[in-house]
Amino acid sequence: MPKEKDWVVFSKWGDTYGTSLSLPILIFGMTFIIINSPSTALSILEHQNSKTSDRPIVPMASDLVGWKNTTGFMPYGDTMRNHRRLQHRLLGTPAACKAFHSHVELEMHRFLKRLLADPESKRLKEHIRKTAGSIILRISHGYQVQETNDPFVDLAEKAVQQLVQAINPATFFVNVVPALRHLPEWFPGGSFQKTAREWAATLDDLAGKPFAFVKSQMAAGTAIPSYTSKLLDSDRTLSAEEETDIKWSASSLYGAGVDTTYAIIYTFFKVMILYPEVQAKAKAEIDQVVGNQRLPCMEDRKHLPYINAIVLELYRWHIVLPTAIPHRSTEDLIYNNYFIPKGSIILPNVWKMTHDPTIYHSPMTFKPERFTQPEPERDPRQFMFGFGRRICAGRHLADVSIFLACARVLSVFDITKYRDENGEAVMPDTEVTSGISSYPSDFGCTIFPRSENAGVLVQAELAG
Ligand SMILES: *[C@@H]1O[C@H](CO)[C@@H](O)[C@H](O)[C@H]1NC(C)=O
């Protein structure tokens, strides 16, 4: 397997061999199948989803630490379907998400305040991450994040960092040779067992502590309506199993939502510097539709086609999960003339799908106009949120958050190149990091209120 940016290597294989599907690659007895085309992905992961919706078990992360209790890593089966049913009911449609619009608007206003108070570009990533985390914790648990050292945010960051290590085969050899999982702790090479126990405790807290918070708030009659409180608020007594599903399906939203939302919003800032003409056009649209006496809100969305096109283009241009999260087949299946054996690990190369010049004209260029022209190019949401029964359950919420981030930031701030100590403007590069999730490389930027009035709008009291 390639060591760096495997999605680029897989794309080259696809181009060289001219197929939409890779030949099976065998590694340590596991079959890997790479899908390079949207139609093949839809046909295998959507149309045959009863056979292709399982996840591979990553021994350290899934089993030993226990991430298989979260929706994203859970094997296909009744519990997973139950999680998804709950998530669908509360967040799965644009209509259901409406209940949470005012929360997101409020948190995005708070984001503007952070940018105004502390525009230092080194802090931008932190502000975005905090905002994405606040949105999710507010919606999942009705929890209002503290500005510094919030215990739940710190806990979640810790758990997610541990997850990143726990899925890495280079860090934990047990991920490559699953039989090692029975190695006793005292045995040479067995120290991962102790690490696993500590990390399981973190994960258990991540699910348990916010859940206990909601229950105590409900008992005191002070709970802010949230995913968890709405599901717990039932006429009948819920079984222990039902409560467990609510608890874990709620905490799964954080792990899945924060880094992904962060990566797209961080990319947005970079793109605004790289493509000043896009920024100018977007601002003109906001000024015309919303004016400069208030911040844009979700009600404005339908009148802001160019901002919507920027959101779509961000989705296409920067793929946070370039090869998605792998699926695993639970039965033998046939696609065209290919035989895909049961237990195969299937990787859809989403990056290739959204950077294929036969699908998107000049795919490396950031060009929102591709979605506003009379014949728009293909909607990347068909691929970048994953496929079939594993499609991202929070996609509508992510869409609301990203739209509001773009619209609100552009309505009040100018985003320009960073100037170094000699006053030289520094242009960001377009590099991205390698790994299961891919982030834009770091860059400097200057964030400044567009006008005195814009500053006043940001400083206004929070409403929502
Ligand atoms: C995952 O769920 C199982 C069964 O409900 C439980 O025993 C285990 O403690 C959970 N893992 C974590 C990390 O909480």
Side-chain angles (χ1 to χ4, degrees), residues 138-438:
R138 197 167 174 105
I139 290 174
S140 62
H141 296 91
Y143 177 76
Q144 159 88 56
V145 165
Q146 297 165 17
E147 214 45 47
T148 49
N149 299 335
D150 184 275
F152 288 174
V153 170
D154 293 349
L155 180 60
E157 295 275 301
K158 192 165 137 195
V160 171
Q161 277 163 19
Q162 291 170 348
L163 168 66
V164 172
Q165 295 183 59
I167 51 180
N168 192 339
T171 313
F172 293 102
F173 199 56
V174 61
N175 287 339
V176 184
V177 185
L180 288 178
R181 86 178 75 184
H182 304 295
L183 209 64
E185 191 173 319
W186 49 265
F187 206 78
S191 64
F192 66 86
Q193 301 282 14
K194 178 162 178 276
T195 309
R197 245 183 310 112
E198 287 165 9
W199 292 1
T202 313
L203 181 59
D204 199 49
D205 282 349
L206 177 66
K209 287 195 168 167
F211 187 74
F213 165 82
V214 178
K215 285 191 124 181
S216 73
Q217 295 275 302
M218 286 175 78
T222 53
I224 298 176
S226 65
Y227 175 93
T228 307
S229 78
K230 288 182 189 190
L231 290 172
L232 282 177
D233 188 11
S234 168
D235 301 338
R236 56 188 179 80
T237 314
L238 299 172
S239 68
E241 201 187 332
E242 284 172 310
E243 288 210 1
T244 303
D245 284 354
I246 295 171
K247 181 174 89 173
W248 281 101
S249 68
S251 70
S252 302
L253 300 173
Y254 194 100
V258 175
D259 266 27
T260 45
T261 308
Y262 150 78
I264 301 280
I265 297 178
Y266 194 45
T267 303
F268 161 74
F269 281 86
K270 185 185 264 195
V271 162
M272 289 301 107
I273 302 170
L274 290 170
Y275 295 88
E277 66 286 1
V278 171
Q279 183 175 173
K281 211 167 154 182
K283 283 176 170 162
E285 185 182 73
I286 293 175
D287 291 348
Q288 200 210 332
V289 174
V290 183
N292 54 15
Q293 297 304 311
R294 64 178 180 88
L295 298 173
C297 57
M298 276 308 282
E299 279 297 303
D300 299 311
R301 187 167 190 181
K302 52 186 174 301
H303 306 299
L304 295 168
Y306 196 69
I307 308 294
N308 284 312
I310 290 180
V311 173
L312 289 181
E313 185 64 340
L314 285 169
Y315 288 158
R316 185 196 70 78
W317 199 70
H318 181 81
I319 300 297
V320 188
L321 293 163
T323 51
I325 303 177
H327 288 234
R328 183 176 167 277
S329 60
T330 42
E331 282 176 54
D332 290 347
L333 60 109
I334 304 276
Y335 168 74
N336 282 353
N337 287 326
Y338 292 91
F339 172 70
I340 299 177
K342 173 181 169 175
S344 295
I345 295 173
I346 305 173
L347 300 168
N349 188 357
V350 179
W351 184 86
K352 167 72 175 175
M353 297 175 202
T354 60
H355 291 79
D356 183 336
T358 66
I359 305 178
Y360 295 103
H361 184 68
S362 333
M364 303 310 282
T365 308
F366 190 92
K367 199 171 64 160
E369 288 75 11
R370 63 176 85 248
F371 300 112
T372 52
Q373 64 200 22
E375 275 186 53
E377 294 184 7
R378 203 158 165 169
D379 190 329
R381 287 174 293 192
Q382 292 169 0
F383 332 120
M384 48 68 69
F385 282 119
F387 298 92
R389 297 185 191 178
R390 289 290 185 169
I391 193 167
C392 168
R395 62 195 185 282
H396 298 294
L397 179 60
D399 204 44
V400 170
S401 305
I402 290 160
F403 166 78
L404 281 171
C406 298
R408 291 204 149 183
V409 166
L410 289 173
S411 76
V412 291
F413 289 114
D414 285 324
I415 307 162
T416 53
K417 277 177 257 185
Y418 174 74
R419 295 202 170 267
D420 66 16
E421 48 277 18
N422 307 322
E424 295 282 332
V426 187
M427 198 65 162
D429 62 32
T430 54
E431 270 306 308
V432 298
T433 65
S434 200
I436 296 195
S437 353
S438 172

Side-chain angles (χ1 to χ4, degrees), residues 82-93 95-97 100 227 230-234 236 238 242 246 393:
N82 202 27
H83 274 213
R84 298 208 45 117
R85 199 171 49 75
L86 298 175
Q87 289 163 349
H88 184 77
R89 176 138 57 94
L90 277 281
L91 302 167
T93 59
C97 274
F100 300 116
Y227 175 93
K230 288 182 189 190
L231 290 172
L232 282 177
D233 188 11
S234 168
R236 56 188 179 80
L238 299 172
E242 284 172 310
I246 295 171

Side-chain angles (χ1 to χ4, degrees), residues 108-120 124 127 268-269 272 279-280 282-284 286-287 295-296 404-416 445-459:
M108 282 303 167
H109 189 174
R110 230 179 231 132
F111 176 49
L112 303 179
K113 286 181 185 288
R114 287 178 192 127
L115 292 174
L116 184 70
D118 189 2
E120 180 74 26
L124 175 61
H127 294 326
F268 161 74
F269 281 86
M272 289 301 107
Q279 183 175 173
K283 283 176 170 162
I286 293 175
D287 291 348
L295 298 173
L404 281 171
C406 298
R408 291 204 149 183
V409 166
L410 289 173
S411 76
V412 291
F413 289 114
D414 285 324
I415 307 162
T416 53
C445 65
T446 307
I447 301 168
F448 205 75
R450 288 177 66 185
S451 63
E452 211 171 296
N453 186 51
V456 172
L457 276 183
V458 175
Q459 276 164 330

